[in-house]
Amino acid sequence: MIETAPITEKAVIVGLINQDQDERQAKEYLDELEFLADTAGAQVLKKFTQKLDVPNKATFVGPGKLDEINQYIKVVEADTVIFDDELTPTQLRNIERELECKVLDRTNLILDIFAKRAQTAHAKTQVELAQYQYLLPRLTRMWTHLERQRGGIGMRGPGETQIETDRRIILDKISRLKTQLVKIDKQKAIQRKNRGKMVRVALVGYTNVGKSTIMNMMAKSEVFAENKLFATLDTTVRKVVIENLPLLLADTVGFIRKLPHGLVESFKSTLDEVREADILLHIVDISHPGFEEQIETVDTTLKEIDAGNKPTFYIFNKIDAFTYEEKDEDDLSPRTKDNFTLEEWKSSWMAKSNTPALFISAKEKTNIEEFKMELYEKVKGIHSQRFPYNDYLYDSDWTKGIQE
């Protein structure tokens, strides 16, 4: 029998506690990095953190912490060390020299997952472009074997020559991939025009909040959904009919904190569905302890792709998984967000905001009819403006039942 099961790599992950992220945030980011590592197929053995105002220019963490990591990976025979922030080419080279094992940063790990998840030619091209853009400034570390060659006749500067050759090759590939993406984008634009003037609704949100599950529920389709990060890379568009009103529903790639800028640039064409949507359904995982930061991350990314001013409808999903810490009566410490019940969250800033919000469970089908009714009314408003003489669409027993 030939063993075909994928080999699970043993990894340790490293993060900093500094002025940009306190201890709680650092722990949250490392938990997310562990989830990313698990998605990529690695088993995280230990998390290392260090308090530093700014990352060490040479090795990201201090020499003492790097030595501690080195001793640990030798004992447990770890294959990979993953850092929570993007490493400079110098840091990457120095850390690899010290640890003598594979070293990745958050960007590299996300790119690896994207490469694994990409299914269509469009997604594969975008990922390949992002990978080459990431690789270009880091070429020097790939030619360390040439450092042993010192002077002598016919031996002057082979490393530099090879690196320059590779740089030209990669720049050529980047240029070709960009040209290829322009062609694909034109095809996608034609596809969007051919869809007519139906109201477009796009699902947006942090990665792994349940967008694909909602898509499958609404469109009765089989979009790939899994409890992993970036399960969906390719934008999927389906025609959905709520009672007798048609609309187009798009499922898009999830966002994440510290998303590499090059990746945002590469995937801007995928996010055209978001930019051209009439309504955004911002899906939020209410059960996640850092959901407010996730909302902020998504809002920031939407602004980056010029989609920040779209009509937005917040859908707080996974209420079936929501938990809170009940305070003891004799506990006199101030209440924190961890002590808020679901009802308290519903009556907090979410209720005061001008943006509508609904609380559902796509998995358990809780409050789905209310969700469909709200979406129906929003789509109806836009549809009736475009087709003012098409009122017959709304004469149905279902809508009469809602009004009664």
Side-chain angles (χ1 to χ4, degrees):
M1 293 258 322
I2 299 172
E3 188 64 48
T4 57
I7 299 169
T8 302
E9 291 187 29
K10 292 187 285 185
V12 300
I13 57 180
V14 185
L16 290 183
I17 300 167
N18 54 29
Q19 53 205 7
D20 296 324
Q21 53 190 46
D22 57 25
E23 199 165 338
R24 180 192 63 80
Q25 287 174 314
K27 180 185 179 304
E28 224 173 83
Y29 293 168
L30 285 185
D31 286 345
E32 187 172 85
L33 189 66
E34 182 177 9
F35 202 175
L36 282 167
D38 177 60
T39 300
Q43 177 195 3
V44 174
L45 302 178
K46 189 169 181 179
K47 303 171 187 173
F48 288 91
T49 56
Q50 185 177 28
K51 289 184 179 180
L52 278 181
D53 289 337
V54 291
N56 186 299
K57 286 183 180 179
T59 54
F60 189 74
V61 293
K65 181 60 70 173
L66 194 64
D67 187 52
E68 182 188 338
I69 295 167
N70 196 11
Q71 289 179 28
Y72 179 80
I73 63 174
K74 294 289 189 290
V75 171
V76 298
E77 296 181 348
D79 309 289
T80 312
V81 179
I82 307 169
F83 287 78
D84 190 40
D85 290 281
E86 191 166 320
L87 299 173
T88 66
T90 303
Q91 287 171 334
L92 203 52
R93 188 167 58 249
N94 291 340
I95 295 167
E96 279 187 337
R97 189 181 294 130
E98 284 291 322
L99 301 183
E100 297 179 338
C101 73
K102 193 196 319 180
V103 177
L104 303 175
D105 57 19
R106 189 183 183 94
T107 302
N108 205 336
L109 183 61
I110 291 173
L111 284 171
D112 185 75
I113 294 168
F114 270 48
K116 185 179 175 183
R117 296 289 191 187
Q119 297 295 321
T120 65
H122 194 200
K124 286 175 181 175
T125 305
Q126 290 174 119
V127 173
E128 195 178 350
L129 175 60
Q131 285 176 320
Y132 279 125
Q133 287 171 332
Y134 173 82
L135 181 64
L136 189 59
R138 293 166 176 81
L139 275 177
T140 49
R141 75 184 182 95
M142 302 182 70
W143 295 98
T144 50
H145 65 281
L146 294 171
E147 289 175 357
R148 297 191 206 99
Q149 299 179 2
R150 295 279 185 269
I153 298 170
M155 299 298 288
R156 301 181 198 279
E160 184 181 355
T161 305
Q162 183 62 61
I163 289 165
E164 287 304 318
T165 303
D166 279 8
R167 186 172 282 120
R168 277 196 301 276
I169 291 168
I170 287 181
L171 284 170
D172 286 344
K173 283 188 176 180
I174 288 173
S175 179
R176 282 202 301 274
L177 287 167
K178 284 183 175 178
T179 305
Q180 203 173 325
L181 276 179
V182 169
K183 289 179 183 175
I184 296 173
D185 290 346
K186 284 179 182 175
Q187 293 169 358
K188 293 276 185 184
I190 292 167
Q191 287 174 7
R192 282 192 291 273
K193 282 181 183 175
N194 290 340
R195 289 174 193 150
K197 293 185 178 179
M198 271 199 285
V199 179
R200 296 182 190 178
V201 180
L203 299 170
V204 298
Y206 209 76
T207 182
N208 200 42
V209 293
K211 296 187 298 299
S212 296
T213 305
I214 291 173
M215 178 73 163
N216 289 336
M217 175 191 68
M218 294 291 291
K220 297 180 174 61
S221 59
E222 293 186 4
V223 176
F224 181 64
E226 188 184 14
N227 187 29
K228 298 271 184 180
L229 300 181
F230 302 117
T232 303
L233 276 195
D234 297 292
T235 300
T236 308
V237 182
R238 294 283 185 271
K239 181 179 176 181
V240 174
V241 179
I242 303 179
E243 185 58 17
N244 53 1
L245 180 60
L247 60 104
L248 290 174
L249 187 63
D251 183 19
T252 61
V253 61
F255 304 137
I256 196 168
R257 283 173 292 211
K258 302 180 184 178
L259 187 65
H261 184 70
L263 213 51
V264 175
E265 285 297 313
S266 297
F267 272 77
K268 271 189 175 176
S269 55
T270 292
L271 296 168
D272 278 342
E273 292 291 349
V274 176
R275 276 197 295 274
E276 296 183 19
D278 300 296
I279 299 168
L280 299 184
L281 295 183
H282 185 160
I283 315 300
V284 181
D285 178 2
I286 188 70
S287 68
H288 193 283
F291 74 86
E292 287 181 293
E293 281 184 57
Q294 292 186 350
I295 291 173
E296 192 178 328
T297 299
V298 173
D299 287 342
T300 302
T301 311
L302 287 173
K303 285 174 187 171
E304 280 183 35
I305 62 168
D306 303 320
N309 296 322
K310 297 277 181 186
T312 305
F313 190 13
Y314 282 93
I315 308 296
F316 291 91
N317 189 26
K318 302 191 184 183
I319 59 172
D320 56 301
F322 175 83
T323 57
Y324 71 99
E325 294 176 14
E326 196 169 353
K327 279 176 64 71
D328 294 330
E329 291 181 8
D330 54 349
D331 186 352
L332 301 178
S333 61
R335 292 182 80 216
T336 66
K337 292 177 181 179
D338 296 337
N339 307 127
F340 282 19
T341 65
L342 189 59
E343 290 305 314
E344 285 174 316
W345 274 119
K346 287 181 183 180
S347 59
S348 66
W349 61 267
M350 299 171 188
K352 295 170 188 171
S353 169
N354 292 326
T355 307
L358 268 182
F359 292 77
I360 70 166
S361 167
K363 184 181 175 185
E364 301 296 328
K365 306 288 191 294
T366 309
N367 296 339
I368 298 305
E369 285 307 308
E370 185 186 354
F371 165 54
K372 286 181 179 178
M373 180 189 77
E374 289 285 350
L375 182 57
Y376 180 91
E377 289 300 325
K378 286 187 170 301
V379 174
K380 174 183 170 181
I382 296 172
H383 190 96
S384 58
Q385 286 177 355
R386 286 184 188 167
F387 308 102
Y389 305 110
N390 217 2
D391 293 338
Y392 69 89
L393 271 176
Y394 314 121
D395 295 333
S396 73
D397 295 336
W398 187 73
T399 50
K400 286 174 186 173
I402 290 170
Q403 289 164 0
E404 289 168 7

